[in-house]
Amino acid sequence: DSQTQKGLPYINIGILHKNIGTVSDINGNFELNIHSTTPSDTLKMSCIGYAPLVLPLSAYAGTSSIYEIRTFELDSKAGSLQEIEIRPGKIKSRTIGNKIYSHMVLAALSPVELGYDCGTVLSYNKKNAGQIENVNFHLANSKYDSVVFRVNLYKFKNGNIGESILKEPLYLKTKIKKGVLTLDLEEKKIFIDGDSFLSLEWIENSGVFPENEMTWAKLWFSAGFLSSESYIRQTSQSDWQKTGMGLGFWATVKYKK
């Protein structure tokens, strides 16, 4: 933090449009190998509540050291408050996304780099804005003793995943091997007025595996084929890629009829 000089946890750090990225640890420390990049590449650091830091890698051309310790500072930014509220009246609740419990169709995920992110489109076309009550993820199996995720919610329009609609980071930590992971968001007052994109981002190492198993699938989520679209990205700041099936991620939203 440029003002407090305190380390910032779980910052997304990576080379734009390339699968080279990571996430800072709880103290703000990180390590990123940029040997396979070019001077024309761009380094980006971002997180909710701070202005993104974008740097050309040409600034590091000719560095004499293979390993260098550097400090980067991010400036905090004020977020605008949502003034939407659901006034008394007939309130309805509905599920959006993919409410799937299947153990027959599974999406096997192999997060290698911190910042691995996967999610599903939440279609919402009601006249009035809706409030997210909770978000849910059906975990079919996990090889980890514990898993730490960041829950992200982005704008989604014309097939493109946009900026985050959250005003503060949301975290989900679990030790369960299978079952529904639910995060209650009633008190967060998160509103949507159109389609959005709900994702889980891997932000903390949660296990040690033999080197020959590093790329093996360690997380399985329920999935389906006739469902809302899902996307993944391999690490922080890399490009999103559409998957061939829909992940079992969904949300409950309430709105005034």
Side-chain angles (χ1 to χ4, degrees):
D1 185 298
S2 61
Q3 293 185 336
T4 67
Q5 295 298 298
K6 292 182 178 179
L8 295 174
Y10 306 133
I11 302 297
N12 288 116
I13 303 152
I15 307 302
L16 287 178
H17 313 302
K18 291 190 174 181
N19 293 335
I20 303 173
T22 189
V23 173
S24 65
D25 66 18
I26 192 69
N27 298 310
N29 301 313
F30 73 94
E31 183 176 336
L32 184 68
N33 188 330
I34 60 173
H35 293 163
S36 59
T37 61
T38 67
S40 61
D41 286 328
T42 301
L43 176 68
K44 182 177 180 179
M45 303 182 184
S46 61
C47 75
I48 295 172
Y50 288 83
L53 182 63
V54 181
L55 302 168
L57 281 188
S58 57
Y60 301 94
T63 180
S64 59
S65 175
I66 296 177
Y67 181 82
E68 290 194 15
I69 297 177
R70 294 175 180 262
T71 299
F72 300 89
E73 296 185 353
L74 272 65
D75 298 324
S76 61
K77 64 177 182 180
S80 58
L81 296 176
Q82 293 175 300
E83 299 296 335
I84 302 172
E85 68 172 307
I86 298 179
R87 297 183 179 180
K90 188 171 183 180
I91 305 299
K92 297 200 69 175
S93 181
R94 63 173 298 191
T95 297
I96 54 178
N98 299 325
K99 191 175 184 179
I100 302 173
Y101 297 97
S102 172
H103 286 275
M104 300 297 292
V105 180
L106 302 177
L109 305 179
S110 305
V112 176
E113 302 293 344
L114 296 177
Y116 183 98
D117 207 351
C118 59
T120 288
V121 176
L122 304 179
S123 298
Y124 184 80
N125 59 2
K126 299 300 180 181
K127 179 180 179 180
N128 295 315
Q131 180 182 348
I132 301 290
E133 296 182 286
N134 56 63
V135 291
N136 308 270
F137 314 88
H138 190 237
L139 180 63
N141 193 17
S142 172
K143 293 285 188 180
Y144 294 103
D145 294 329
S146 66
V147 185
V148 182
F149 294 111
R150 175 164 37 216
V151 176
N152 296 313
L153 197 60
Y154 302 96
K155 293 181 179 179
F156 187 86
K157 188 175 183 179
N158 299 325
N160 295 312
I161 299 168
E163 63 183 17
S164 175
I165 65 175
L166 299 176
K167 302 305 178 185
E168 62 179 291
L170 303 173
Y171 301 112
L172 182 59
K173 183 174 183 178
T174 182
K175 293 184 178 181
I176 70 170
K177 298 296 184 180
K178 59 180 63 177
V180 177
L181 309 178
T182 298
L183 186 62
D184 186 354
L185 299 177
E186 180 79 24
E187 296 182 356
K188 298 296 184 181
K189 304 295 183 183
I190 300 170
F191 294 88
I192 56 174
D193 56 8
D195 294 349
S196 57
F197 182 78
L198 170 67
S199 77
L200 277 182
E201 180 188 357
W202 188 53
I203 60 170
E204 190 174 296
N205 281 310
S206 307
V208 178
F209 298 91
E211 186 173 349
N212 64 335
E213 295 184 13
M214 288 301 294
T215 58
W216 293 7
K218 300 180 183 66
L219 293 171
W220 289 263
F221 287 95
S222 292
F225 293 103
L226 299 177
S227 53
S228 293
E229 299 175 346
S230 292
Y231 295 78
I232 66 169
R233 63 176 171 186
Q234 297 298 325
T235 188
S236 298
Q237 316 300 353
S238 63
D239 293 330
W240 290 99
Q241 298 175 325
K242 189 176 180 179
T243 66
M245 61 180 67
L247 296 170
F249 296 1
W250 69 94
T252 302
V253 58
K254 65 179 180 181
Y255 58 96
K256 185 176 180 181
K257 188 175 180 181

